[in-house]
Amino acid sequence: MEKHTFYRPAENCIRQEMGDDVLLFNPETTSTIHLNQTADLIWQLCKDNSIETLIEGLQTQYPDQSEQIKKDVLETVDSLVQQQVLTLIETKPS
Amino acid sequence: MNYFIVTLNDQTVRLACNNSKVIIEALHGISFVESSFSNQEIEIIISIETSDDNLNWSINDQYQNKKLSGYTLGDLAYNLSDCLVFHFADKIKDAFCIHAGAVAFDNKAFLIVGESGAGKSTFTAWLVSQGATYLTDELSIIDKYGLVTGLSRPIQIKWHGTDTAFALVDSKDNLIPGSKVSGIPISAFSKKSISDTDKQYQLSGVIFINYQKLADYQLTKLSSAEAGIKIMQNYVNARNIDKFGFTDLMSLIQNMPAYHLQYSTFSDCETLPEFFNL
């Protein structure tokens, strides 16, 4: 049985595009983090998608980078959790 | 008792001191007026007392519930200005307070940002010795249009930087020596220029400095995101401002030239004033 893992972006974060990158201000922690385009995409897609769905979607678009995509997404999610802008909310079977 | 009102960006702090001469020297460069109000009429926020021989002083900051004492004018000036920085950063609600030095060339203002010990004050002193207008070495205030003011206290040099900084001044008579921190009033520079309260200085660039002994000179352009995140680390009154002022402050920084400077001697930096003229 496949599982689906959902994360929630931290509430009230203020997102600001700065050139090619993005800064995210978290009022809860009063900290600002710097997201590259990939991290920004993942942070935004986490709002409505499980991590597994997100990885699958990206792998469909870039089939030749399948393993790398999975590794990059998981590492990015881990980093965003550590920086307190993503929170694990639930893991459930599909 | 003598009474004073210190003003910055429409905010005021009230001081009382038993020795007006000492306080006038300690506040050198900061905008203040002597006042006739009495202790009963208006709450005193900071009280300063000096001993009869002027050798010892004490500060009672009622707002922070903090008491300090010491024995040199330089240390008094430093600690008093530090209390003022706290007050203003805590009270100002209509502008961004950034922990940074600031100077201007003509009407263009530049922020000098760095971590503690990075050499902000000494670098600011060097720029003033090169003809820059002094705005502040500690607290820069930027309104939503990008106009910059600052707390123009004497430039505060920690003990390990005094040899370098004092070599930049033209008159050592006015220095304000302290045991840990010494002050350089703007009058110590022959090319002195202090900010005119009626003049507006437009934020025109940010330089993040890092003094390192024996380091190679490097001037590196930063992306707007890199500059933004460094500015946020030095933004001290975010909680006073609607939505933390994040979007508005970043919009100002976004189109601003921003550089990281690593240096070990000022001789490496001789072309920088031209750079500031952009």
Side-chain angles (χ1 to χ4, degrees), chain B residues 164-205:
Chain B
T164 307
F166 287 0
L168 300 170
V169 307
D170 303 292
S171 166
K172 294 188 170 52
D173 296 342
N174 302 333
L175 298 178
I176 308 172
S179 66
K180 294 172 186 157
V181 182
S182 295
I184 304 179
I186 207 69
S187 56
F189 297 94
S190 63
K191 291 181 181 174
K192 60 179 175 284
S193 177
I194 195 160
S195 61
D196 178 342
T197 49
D198 294 330
K199 193 167 176 182
Q200 297 188 315
Y201 300 93
Q202 184 70 44
L203 182 61
S204 301

Side-chain angles (χ1 to χ4, degrees), chain B residues 16-33:
Chain B
C17 182
N18 64 336
N19 184 332
S20 66
K21 183 172 177 290
V22 164
I23 209 75
I24 288 167
E25 287 183 44
L27 290 176
H28 186 105
I30 296 176
S31 175
F32 72 94
V33 291

Side-chain angles (χ1 to χ4, degrees), chain A residues 14 16-19 25 27 32, chain B residues 224-225 229 232 244 246-247 254:
Chain A
I14 307 171
Q16 174 74 28
E17 291 182 11
M18 299 287 279
F25 177 73
T32 308
Chain B
S224 57
I229 206 153
M232 288 304 293
F244 304 91
F246 177 65
T247 302
Q254 190 153 20

Side-chain angles (χ1 to χ4, degrees), chain B residues 120-187:
Chain B
K120 282 191 301 293
S121 294
T122 308
F123 189 74
T124 301
W126 178 74
L127 286 170
V128 173
S129 76
Q130 302 299 301
T133 298
Y134 175 61
L135 304 181
T136 182
D137 73 334
E138 181 72 4
L139 184 66
S140 297
I141 297 158
I142 309 169
D143 75 7
K144 62 183 177 182
Y145 304 109
L147 298 174
V148 182
T149 55
L151 186 76
S152 301
R153 66 180 190 178
I155 300 172
Q156 299 294 311
I157 306 293
K158 296 195 176 85
W159 65 270
H160 52 80
T162 50
D163 287 350
T164 307
F166 287 0
L168 300 170
V169 307
D170 303 292
S171 166
K172 294 188 170 52
D173 296 342
N174 302 333
L175 298 178
I176 308 172
S179 66
K180 294 172 186 157
V181 182
S182 295
I184 304 179
I186 207 69
S187 56

Side-chain angles (χ1 to χ4, degrees), chain A residues 7 76-88:
Chain A
Y7 288 83
T76 301
V77 167
D78 192 40
S79 167
L80 295 173
V81 169
Q82 283 185 32
Q83 294 180 87
Q84 299 177 282
V85 294
L86 270 189
T87 309
L88 176 65

Side-chain angles (χ1 to χ4, degrees), chain A residues 14-25 27 30 32-34, chain B residues 223-229 232 238 243-244 246-247 250-251 253-254:
Chain A
I14 307 171
R15 180 180 171 277
Q16 174 74 28
E17 291 182 11
M18 299 287 279
D20 293 335
D21 294 343
V22 163
L23 294 185
L24 204 55
F25 177 73
T30 63
T32 308
I33 67 167
H34 181 180
Chain B
S223 71
S224 57
E226 289 170 325
I229 206 153
M232 288 304 293
K243 294 181 180 169
F244 304 91
F246 177 65
T247 302
M250 290 303 99
S251 297
I253 297 301
Q254 190 153 20

Side-chain angles (χ1 to χ4, degrees), chain B residues 57-68:
Chain B
W57 55 262
S58 63
I59 295 173
N60 182 4
D61 183 340
Q62 293 159 29
Y63 191 69
Q64 295 189 72
N65 195 22
K66 185 172 167 181
K67 292 183 179 177
L68 301 156

